[in-house]
Amino acid sequence: IWSANPPKEESSFVRPGEIAYQDGNCLGVGVWEGILEITELEVESKGAMSASSLLEYGAEIGDQFENARDRLC
C-alpha cells in the first residue's frame, strides 16, 4: 500500500482486511471499526497504481487480505 486516507470518525463494522467497496480509484478496506480508503498500491513490483486496479488482478468486493505472517510459518 503506497497511500491511503485515514478512517472517518463514523463506525463501520466490516471484517478487518475485507474489501468493502470501490469508489472511483479508491478501495475501502475494513480496519477495526472503520474503513481505510486505499488510494495507491503496488502489485507484483509493477510500480504504484490506483487501488481499484487490484480488481483487475482478480480481487473482488468482499475478499479479505491475508496476514502475511500466516504464510511464513
Side-chain angles (χ1 to χ4, degrees), residues 21-62:
Y21 62 82
Q22 175 188 1
D23 183 9
N25 290 328
C26 299
L27 288 179
V29 177
V31 293
W32 190 244
E33 291 183 357
I35 293 180
L36 178 77
E37 279 194 346
I38 300 174
T39 55
E40 285 187 306
L41 49 75
E42 183 171 347
V43 177
E44 299 177 348
S45 301
K46 300 205 184 236
M49 59 182 72
S50 69
S52 62
S53 297
L54 186 62
L55 302 178
E56 296 170 16
Y57 285 84
E60 298 178 352
I61 305 302

Side-chain angles (χ1 to χ4, degrees), residues 1-35:
I1 296 173
W2 286 109
S3 65
N5 298 323
K8 297 180 173 101
E9 291 190 25
E10 69 243 13
S11 294
S12 295
F13 296 99
V14 179
R15 293 179 303 166
E18 179 181 342
I19 301 173
Y21 62 82
Q22 175 188 1
D23 183 9
N25 290 328
C26 299
L27 288 179
V29 177
V31 293
W32 190 244
E33 291 183 357
I35 293 180

Side-chain angles (χ1 to χ4, degrees), residues 56-68:
E56 296 170 16
Y57 285 84
E60 298 178 352
I61 305 302
D63 285 352
Q64 189 171 10
F65 286 95
E66 296 180 359
N67 185 339

